[in-house]
Amino acid sequence: LPRVVSQVRGLGFELSDRSENVEQAGRLIRLVTALLSLVSGLIVALAALGMTQAFFVAVQQRRRELAVLKALGAAASDIRAMVLLEAAIIGALSGASGLLLGRLSAWLADIAAIAMPHFPFKPMTFFDFPVWIWPAGLGFAVAACVLGAFVPARAAARADPAQALNA
């Protein structure tokens, strides 16, 4: 709506004071959207840090198993790929769960909105789930998990099997 108001003004028409309110509301919505995007980016970064910590613990607990694999001929790249694949699977499962939970929550909120009194231009749904959001959500979840597991996977690949089996 703010774009429409500015285009109408660009055509030389004069608008009422209510159009100022529309422009202010549009700016406020853009600001809130930017802040929520920043918060969600920080949440993804914290999730990656949490994955790093979780995978350091997992690699530490499985150090003997990984050492046996290396002693039996697994290359460092095999160990690294195994840990990163586990992270990708965890990311895909958690991302799919999050997307489904978000869609379910939006659906429940829309059902609750039915009880709202009718108002002009009341939308059929208050939420928009474009097709691209599903692969993007899964991609972010997988990327955060793989990025978080990268350093622990590298540490697991570099571990000396003799030291891990003697500990």
Side-chain angles (χ1 to χ4, degrees):
L1 205 52
R3 259 188 277 162
V4 172
V5 169
S6 67
Q7 288 176 352
V8 169
R9 280 201 179 121
L11 293 173
F13 292 101
E14 207 170 295
L15 299 172
S16 70
D17 292 338
R18 295 176 82 189
S19 63
E20 294 283 330
N21 294 341
V22 168
E23 287 179 308
Q24 288 177 348
R27 276 182 266 177
L28 181 64
I29 289 171
R30 279 195 301 273
L31 176 67
V32 168
T33 301
L35 289 173
L36 289 175
S37 297
L38 177 65
V39 167
S40 55
L42 290 172
I43 289 170
V44 169
L46 287 173
L49 287 174
M51 287 304 297
T52 300
Q53 184 179 10
F55 269 92
F56 266 125
V57 169
V59 164
Q60 184 63 27
Q61 288 177 344
R62 295 173 47 202
R63 70 182 182 277
R64 288 180 183 229
E65 171 190 330
L66 297 172
V68 169
L69 288 173
K70 283 185 88 173
L72 291 174
S77 60
D78 295 332
I79 302 295
R80 188 172 38 256
M82 184 180 73
V83 174
L84 292 177
L85 179 63
E86 289 173 11
I89 291 169
I90 290 170
L93 291 174
S94 60
S97 300
L99 285 167
L100 291 174
L101 185 63
R103 186 63 186 115
L104 177 66
S105 299
W107 180 70
L108 290 174
D110 280 341
I111 288 175
I114 290 173
M116 292 174 62
H118 182 71
F119 56 89
F121 306 109
K122 184 176 178 182
M124 295 293 290
T125 179
F126 290 96
F127 303 94
D128 185 23
F129 284 87
V131 174
W132 61 265
I133 204 81
W134 299 96
L138 280 176
F140 274 116
V142 170
C145 285
V146 169
L147 185 65
F150 184 75
V151 174
R154 199 174 77 191
R158 289 183 176 174
D160 181 27
Q163 281 184 332
L165 290 172
N166 287 333

